[in-house]
Amino acid sequence: MAQGSVICVAPEKPTHAVCVLGTKSRVDVFSSAPNGCTSFSISASPEVVVNVAYIRPVKKNPTGSSTWPLDPRMEVTVMMKASSSSISDQKVRISYCGPQSQPTQALLYLTGVEISLRTDISRTGKVKPSKAKPSKAKPGKVKPTGRAGNHRRTWTWGPHGQGAILLVNCDKDDPRSSTMDFMNNEVNNSKDLQDMSLMTLSTKTPKDFFTKYKLVLHVAKSEMNKVRVFQAKWGKLPCKYRVVLGPQQPSHALELPSGQHSTTFYVEGLSFPDANFPGLISLGISLLDTSDSETPEALVFQDSVTFRVAPWIMTPNTQPPQEVYVCSVFGNRNFLKSVTALAKKAKCKLTICCEEENKNDRWIQDEMEIGYIQAPHKTLPVVFDSPRNRGLKDFPMKHLLGPDFGYMTRGAKTGQITCLDSFGNLEVSPPVTVGEKEYPLGRILTGNSSYPSDKSREMHQALQDFLAAQQVQAPVKLYSDWLFVGHVDEFLSFVPAHDRKGFRLLLASPRACYKLFQEKEKEGHGDAVLFEGVNRKKQQKIKDILSSKILREHNLYAERCIDWNREVLKRELGLEERDIINIPQLYQLLKDSRGALKAEAFFPNMVNMLVLGKYLGIPKPFGPIIEGRCCLEEKVRSLLELLGLHCTFIDDFDTYHVHCGEVHCGTNVRRKPFSFKWWNMVP
């Protein structure tokens, strides 16, 4: 909120004050009023607008009067219409009178100056001048009004909201640099500037004004580690950029010439919103009176602009794919061929991480999640590096971080890292509406335990806090600790659809699998076998699977866990049963390293698929062959191809499935950002 100092006038001697254009300054006409005076009148120079307002309602409103009662319930403000050409060139005369006192005058000399701190508050991608609305009163005239409202420089959400946006400058525009741009105090090049938000300071003052006054740019000490401000120095080419605010630099006295001048600043974010940082940063400008060397500098005027640091945003399966990532490891040549062919169909770029880079770590989905950050002037893909730190730990920083590709991570300062901290346990839904609440960017889905215990696993609190702090994709907690690996992508996925909500939720379903196998047994196919053609894997007949009491109990348990999540997803995503497709799947319980029974896929988990637009890369289940076709594949085709989707079944058995993962676990996708702008929503 822009605020000017209170001006106290007295009949004994003239008062001199500075008034910033667009800002009303309160004039105290009461404290030094002569004894016996009961009323006052005001006259002013042409470039001064005087307003008289009632602080509280009074019975009689003297509209049109030129004289007002000397009543503390009245407030007098002055506002300049234009900058002064010389110091104290505008005058206000206050005349006091009373029935038993001599008329007395107090003189106020004003200097009008322009001080305007501008940012892209309208979110158009450009910085526009912020023009103050002039009073309807004619210059030099006095107008009685209701109490004037305060205009705060705040940040608001929604399509009609206002407030500037700041990007964390987390890419690396200089290939020679060893780290992200925001970690140094330099502007690397013109591309680096494009990642920053523009801020300008316009000043217009009389000659020699800054010999008695100074302007200070500042940020709260609690926020100085979250932002850095560069001042452009336009002298001899090339332009130089000086750090004026940032870590350990909460304020900076500006050296400005008198007259009309514009100063350019570039602002970069240093931290994403998190548990202890809501993402808001205010930059302030203060005008100080330094004319009296015997007293401390006095505050004359203060204003500020507020930025919100852009959140990190995930993209769901329904967003168009742009690039596919996969690892080359020993024995997965055929898998790579299948993924390559699928990416070609979807017209996606393909990046293969070689064995030297991945160190035999094939789980690229677990290592990273690629999202984006966005401001009106720039959109930037940003990879979120998980804290799992296995063979692929260097891949995101070494091979993705670069010009216009950002990087960030969240480590665990305390607490143990578990499988639930890998990003196969981090998904996001497509946009949904729940009741009257809209989630235009979808909702984040993470897996946790059903309740905390000595043996339970949770996603690390640092990750949960970070995801919640982004605000725009309100996280939903699901129950995934019942699984051996513990990831949500082991029982759910999303695929695009042209009807209803624009997508379908796919849920793994033991119930659907048993129903399918029972139908096939009734049709006389009880001797058809699972795992036909798989080396070193015991084949299982349909009738044996159906008669296995232990396997049935294992899957009753798995079904109960999935049904729990089904209800959570229906409630939190606003879904109905017809928005869900049940994908046949069986699980088996095995003991983990702590001796606890956990579920893993009995055959390749078809819900753990790669979604590239309408092209699906689904783990080949090696189901019972009936009339020359896999009945599991045929069932899934019948469910998904009605939506216009194309199913490709990929053999991942030896290279992924036996290592407790599938196609989705072994791939990653960079997708197109949402067309919807995050600042237009209301969290």
Side-chain angles (χ1 to χ4, degrees):
M1 176 180 68
Q3 179 178 325
S5 60
V6 177
I7 304 171
C8 297
V9 296
E12 294 83 14
K13 62 178 182 178
T15 302
H16 296 263
V18 172
C19 191
V20 177
L21 270 62
T23 302
K24 291 182 178 181
S25 295
R26 187 167 72 86
V27 181
D28 182 359
V29 300
F30 307 104
S31 298
S32 299
N35 292 331
C37 291
T38 58
S39 62
F40 70 97
S41 62
I42 303 178
S43 61
S45 298
E47 295 302 326
V48 181
V49 173
V50 180
N51 280 292
V52 179
Y54 288 100
I55 297 175
R56 295 185 299 274
V58 293
K59 292 182 179 179
K60 191 175 181 180
N61 185 352
T63 303
S65 300
S66 58
T67 303
W68 288 270
L70 202 59
D71 187 338
R73 293 178 298 176
M74 300 189 72
E75 183 178 82
V76 178
T77 61
V78 293
M79 186 169 67
M80 298 294 295
K81 295 286 289 180
S83 300
S84 294
S85 56
S86 60
I87 292 176
S88 299
D89 65 350
Q90 301 297 315
K91 183 169 67 175
V92 177
R93 186 189 308 272
I94 299 100
S95 300
Y96 297 96
C97 58
Q100 299 178 350
S101 63
Q102 293 294 322
T104 307
Q105 293 184 347
L107 295 178
L108 169 61
Y109 292 94
L110 294 175
T111 303
V113 299
E114 178 186 341
I115 300 173
S116 180
L117 197 60
R118 302 168 183 171
T119 59
D120 182 18
I121 61 171
S122 57
R123 303 165 190 168
T124 61
K126 298 180 180 180
V127 176
K128 296 181 179 180
S130 53
K131 296 181 180 178
K133 292 183 179 179
S135 169
K136 293 182 180 179
K138 294 181 179 180
K141 299 294 183 179
V142 182
K143 182 182 179 183
T145 67
R147 183 171 175 82
N150 290 325
H151 300 285
R152 293 182 176 273
R153 297 296 178 95
T154 56
W155 203 98
T156 53
W157 295 88
H160 304 295
Q162 286 195 328
I165 293 166
L166 201 58
L167 296 176
V168 176
N169 195 5
C170 59
D171 67 342
K172 187 177 71 171
D173 287 311
D174 184 354
R176 298 169 298 177
S177 176
S178 60
T179 187
M180 293 163 279
D181 290 343
F182 76 84
M183 297 188 74
N184 59 53
N185 288 330
E186 299 176 353
V187 174
N188 295 314
N189 48 42
S190 59
K191 289 185 177 180
D192 198 10
L193 287 177
Q194 294 170 14
D195 300 334
M196 303 182 196
S197 294
L198 179 64
M199 180 174 73
T200 63
L201 174 65
S202 297
T203 54
K204 189 176 182 182
T205 61
K207 183 180 179 182
D208 298 329
F209 179 80
F210 286 116
T211 62
K212 296 182 179 181
Y213 296 89
K214 72 176 181 180
L215 276 172
V216 176
L217 190 68
H218 49 85
V219 62
K221 288 184 178 180
S222 61
E223 298 171 5
M224 66 180 178
N225 292 328
K226 315 295 183 186
V227 66
R228 184 179 289 113
V229 180
F230 294 92
Q231 180 182 353
K233 288 288 187 179
W234 300 97
K236 296 180 179 179
L237 294 176
C239 179
K240 294 183 178 180
Y241 303 92
R242 175 187 178 188
V243 177
V244 293
L245 295 182
Q248 308 307 314
Q249 292 179 262
S251 64
H252 177 76
L254 298 169
E255 297 177 2
L256 300 173
S258 298
Q260 190 165 2
H261 185 72
S262 180
T263 308
T264 301
F265 301 94
Y266 292 92
V267 189
E268 66 178 0
L270 307 183
S271 296
F272 283 95
D274 215 328
N276 298 316
F277 174 47
L280 292 174
I281 296 171
S282 290
L283 301 182
I285 189 78
S286 294
L287 178 65
L288 302 171
D289 184 346
T290 60
S291 60
D292 190 345
S293 60
E294 301 298 321
T295 60
E297 53 197 24
L299 189 59
V300 176
F301 165 82
Q302 201 166 60
D303 200 3
S304 65
V305 293
T306 300
F307 292 88
R308 181 177 290 278
V309 177
W312 178 76
I313 301 172
M314 293 179 63
T315 51
N317 284 352
T318 49
Q319 286 300 108
Q322 294 181 321
E323 186 170 5
V324 178
Y325 300 85
V326 65
C327 292
S328 172
V329 295
F330 178 77
N332 79 334
R333 180 177 298 178
N334 290 333
F335 180 84
L336 288 180
K337 287 182 179 179
S338 298
V339 172
T340 300
L342 195 70
K344 186 175 181 180
K345 285 182 181 179
K347 298 180 180 179
C348 288
K349 179 182 176 181
L350 179 68
T351 295
I352 299 177
C353 177
C354 67
E355 293 181 57
E356 291 180 358
E357 296 170 347
N358 63 52
K359 300 177 179 62
N360 206 37
D361 181 6
R362 67 201 71 203
W363 310 117
I364 198 165
Q365 181 65 227
D366 290 344
E367 180 58 38
M368 64 187 191
E369 183 69 35
I370 301 173
Y372 69 95
I373 57 177
Q374 187 173 52
H377 66 281
K378 186 71 177 282
T379 300
L380 196 71
V382 176
V383 59
F384 188 179
D385 190 0
S386 80
R388 68 191 282 267
N389 290 339
R390 290 168 62 175
L392 279 162
K393 65 179 182 178
D394 295 328
F395 179 77
M397 177 167 278
K398 285 188 175 181
H399 298 280
L400 296 188
L401 173 63
D404 288 342
F405 206 126
Y407 170 94
M408 62 99 174
T409 188
R410 281 295 178 275
K413 295 180 181 179
T414 60
Q416 184 180 0
I417 296 299
T418 71
C419 286
L420 273 64
D421 298 315
S422 297
F423 287 168
N425 195 35
L426 175 62
E427 294 295 321
V428 65
S429 79
V432 293
T433 299
V434 184
E436 296 183 356
K437 178 63 177 175
E438 294 182 354
Y439 298 93
L441 302 175
R443 301 191 69 179
I444 287 172
L445 308 175
T446 62
N448 285 277
S449 65
S450 55
Y451 64 93
S453 68
D454 292 340
K455 293 185 178 180
S456 66
R457 297 171 296 174
E458 302 278 349
M459 176 176 276
H460 199 282
Q461 194 61 47
L463 296 178
Q464 295 188 57
D465 289 344
F466 172 81
L467 295 170
Q470 307 314 300
Q471 296 193 67
V472 296
Q473 295 176 305
V476 177
K477 288 186 181 182
L478 300 175
Y479 173 36
S480 67
D481 194 27
W482 61 278
L483 290 154
F484 191 87
V485 176
H487 294 176
V488 293
D489 69 351
E490 296 177 76
F491 64 87
L492 68 80
S493 186
F494 296 92
V495 294
H498 295 297
D499 60 350
R500 291 186 55 73
K501 292 179 168 62
F503 69 90
R504 293 289 191 277
L505 167 64
L506 308 185
L507 287 179
S509 174
R511 186 185 298 116
C513 190
Y514 273 106
K515 181 180 179 182
L516 175 64
F517 284 179
Q518 287 166 351
E519 291 173 354
K520 297 307 176 185
E521 185 182 42
K522 287 180 181 179
E523 294 171 1
H525 302 296
D527 288 328
V529 296
L530 198 66
F531 306 129
E532 183 177 339
V534 179
N535 295 327
R536 301 182 300 280
K537 182 67 178 179
K538 182 181 177 181
Q539 296 180 355
Q540 304 251 7
K541 294 181 179 180
I542 288 179
K543 64 181 182 182
D544 294 335
I545 291 172
L546 293 175
S547 63
S548 172
K549 182 179 179 181
I550 293 176
L551 188 61
R552 175 79 71 163
E553 289 175 350
H554 288 185
N555 281 280
L556 283 173
Y557 168 74
E559 191 74 56
R560 291 180 67 181
C561 295
I562 294 170
D563 281 346
W564 178 273
N565 288 306
R566 179 191 299 268
E567 294 307 307
V568 173
L569 289 162
K570 287 166 65 176
R571 180 179 68 249
E572 299 296 335
L573 301 184
L575 304 181
E576 302 174 17
E577 277 298 326
R578 55 182 176 163
D579 299 315
I580 302 172
I581 295 177
N582 297 309
I583 301 298
Q585 186 61 49
L586 295 181
Y587 295 88
Q588 59 186 347
L589 296 179
L590 300 173
K591 286 186 178 181
D592 65 7
S593 59
R594 296 184 176 185
L597 287 174
K598 302 290 182 180
E600 71 169 15
F602 184 68
F603 54 79
N605 192 341
M606 292 185 288
V607 81
N608 191 275
M609 64 179 67
L610 173 62
V611 181
L612 301 179
K614 64 182 179 180
Y615 298 100
L616 309 180
I618 305 171
K620 184 175 180 62
F622 290 94
I625 303 299
I626 297 172
E627 297 178 356
R629 296 180 179 271
C630 170
C631 66
L632 287 170
E633 290 185 17
E634 289 302 295
K635 181 62 177 178
V636 171
R637 287 185 192 277
S638 70
L639 294 170
L640 300 181
E641 290 184 351
L642 289 174
L643 301 174
L645 303 173
H646 297 257
C647 300
T648 299
F649 290 89
I650 298 175
D651 181 359
D652 71 351
F653 202 100
D654 291 330
T655 50
Y656 293 88
H657 173 70
V658 297
H659 299 289
C660 303
E662 310 289 357
V663 174
H664 184 260
C665 305
T667 56
N668 211 309
V669 184
R670 175 173 61 87
R671 300 182 183 276
K672 184 179 180 180
F674 285 101
S675 59
F676 181 88
K677 309 304 181 186
W678 62 267
W679 51 86
N680 288 330
M681 70 175 290
V682 179

